[in-house]
Amino acid sequence: MRRGVFRILVALSAFVLAAAPVAHADPPYRPVGVVETVFSQHGPWPVTAQPGVGCCDSTGAPFDVWYPANLGAGGMRHPIITWGNGTNAVPSQYAHLLEHLASWGFVVVATANRNTGTGADITSAARHLIDAAADPSSVFHNRLNTAAVGAMGHSQGATGVLNALADSGGLIKTAVPVELPAQAFCKDPTRCADTRRIGGGSVLFVNGADDALISPSNQPPWQPEGLQSNRAYYDALPGSVTKAWGTLVRANHNDVQGQPDCARASAPCTTGVFGYLGYPTAWLVAQLWGDAYALGAFTPGSGEFYQPNPNWVNQIGAAGR
């Protein structure tokens, strides 16, 4: 199973969704676009979860892994996504999202480190899987596409995935920072994000409109200097970087922890993880699988992601040069 077969699976998912009513677990959030609707659903792969499967990062924290149960079927090699936790959070708090990503054919690895802002242990988690892919005794042996590595993270972990993209020497190809904190919240220079340092790859910023204190969309008037907003981080990315940004209308700082609703998420949470499933998954499929169907949603200006949508505002994007 190579990339063409993956595209067939995506097309079949789209056909099924078009042929039957879409079930929504949470009425407050209903995907509008066809691409978002497809990738908001559980993907075509059943998922195996293994907590504490490997050891260890620089702090001694183990790694949790989510991966397709029929790993490597037909000779397929799966892209890697490395996850960054928010401050004092652990991977199990994001289990719904991470399982969702694995259902779309990714192997997802997450350090249990509760302070991932430097990005170093986000990168080391990816390297753990790369080493496993070379180990004949590992279930991942010859089943991973080690040239297709992405990073996604929340809050401090959002800072971490940007640092990992900047510092991994090209290992990490794309980053999805979720609820990226303004630089004013960064007390340790090693855990600060500065998108001006990123020389290539791609970035999708996602923040919630209700997260106006920690991850504001626009520069607060009381903090006009520095990178204090998603717009400032987006604008500071060099032209060599492919980039996009969008703001979920009904989402707060910890909605991404929804399982899938807010019942088991940390406060503040408004509706749950639903809005973080579709377009972030489509972005990672586009960037790491090279899938044209998903990529089309992010064609600057004309793609589905940039069209009027009651669930999203601030949708902008640009192709890297």
Side-chain angles (χ1 to χ4, degrees):
M1 293 174 68
R2 293 184 290 272
R3 184 177 297 168
V5 178
F6 178 81
R7 290 174 178 171
I8 292 171
L9 290 170
V10 172
L12 286 173
S13 298
F15 174 79
V16 170
L17 289 169
V22 177
H24 296 281
D26 183 61
Y29 190 91
R30 295 183 182 276
V32 171
V34 174
V35 175
E36 184 187 16
T37 300
V38 168
F39 288 103
S40 291
Q41 307 303 306
H42 197 279
W45 278 272
V47 174
T48 296
Q50 288 194 339
V53 71
C55 187
C56 295
D57 72 8
S58 66
T59 69
F63 304 115
D64 295 350
V65 180
W66 288 257
Y67 59 91
N70 50 344
L71 191 69
M76 177 172 284
R77 297 199 177 199
H78 301 265
I80 295 167
I81 296 174
T82 179
W83 171 262
N85 305 308
T87 303
N88 293 325
V90 293
S92 61
Q93 291 176 265
Y94 306 94
H96 188 92
L97 172 64
L98 303 184
E99 178 180 342
H100 178 86
L101 294 173
S103 79
W104 283 97
F106 298 104
V107 175
V108 182
V109 61
T111 172
N113 190 334
R114 296 170 181 260
N115 291 283
T116 58
T118 68
D121 290 314
I122 293 172
T123 301
S124 70
R127 294 193 186 281
H128 171 76
L129 280 184
I130 291 170
D131 290 343
D135 181 356
S137 68
S138 171
V139 68
F140 301 112
H141 181 57
N142 286 340
R143 292 173 176 175
L144 304 183
N145 182 355
T146 57
V149 181
M152 184 174 182
H154 169 230
S155 193
Q156 185 183 154
T159 296
V161 299
L162 292 175
N163 284 331
L165 181 61
D167 296 334
S168 67
L171 173 70
I172 294 174
K173 303 300 192 293
T174 191
V176 182
V178 174
E179 312 304 337
L180 177 63
Q183 282 186 333
F185 288 92
C186 180
K187 307 304 181 186
D188 178 351
T190 66
R191 291 187 171 90
C192 291
D194 187 346
T195 49
R196 293 167 293 194
R197 297 197 309 113
I198 297 172
S202 61
V203 180
L204 170 65
F205 299 91
V206 179
N207 70 312
D210 293 346
D211 192 13
L213 176 63
I214 296 175
S215 188
S217 294
N218 299 299
Q219 294 284 94
W222 58 88
Q223 286 178 330
E225 303 299 325
L227 303 180
Q228 310 297 351
S229 65
N230 281 264
R231 187 176 299 275
Y233 282 119
Y234 174 92
D235 288 343
L237 276 170
S240 57
V241 180
T242 297
K243 59 184 180 179
W245 165 44
T247 301
L248 278 163
V249 172
R250 292 183 301 279
N252 213 316
H253 192 70
N254 290 316
D255 280 62
V256 71
Q257 292 184 352
Q259 301 289 341
D261 60 17
C262 290
R264 289 183 287 163
S266 302
C269 177
T270 304
T271 63
V273 74
F274 306 101
Y276 297 91
L277 301 179
Y279 284 129
T281 302
W283 177 270
L284 291 165
V285 166
Q287 300 298 322
L288 299 177
W289 280 106
D291 183 74
Y293 177 74
L295 185 62
F298 300 99
T299 301
S302 62
E304 178 187 294
F305 179 69
Y306 307 107
Q307 305 313 305
N309 187 325
N311 298 316
W312 291 84
V313 294
N314 300 323
Q315 305 104 296
I316 53 175
R321 297 190 296 271

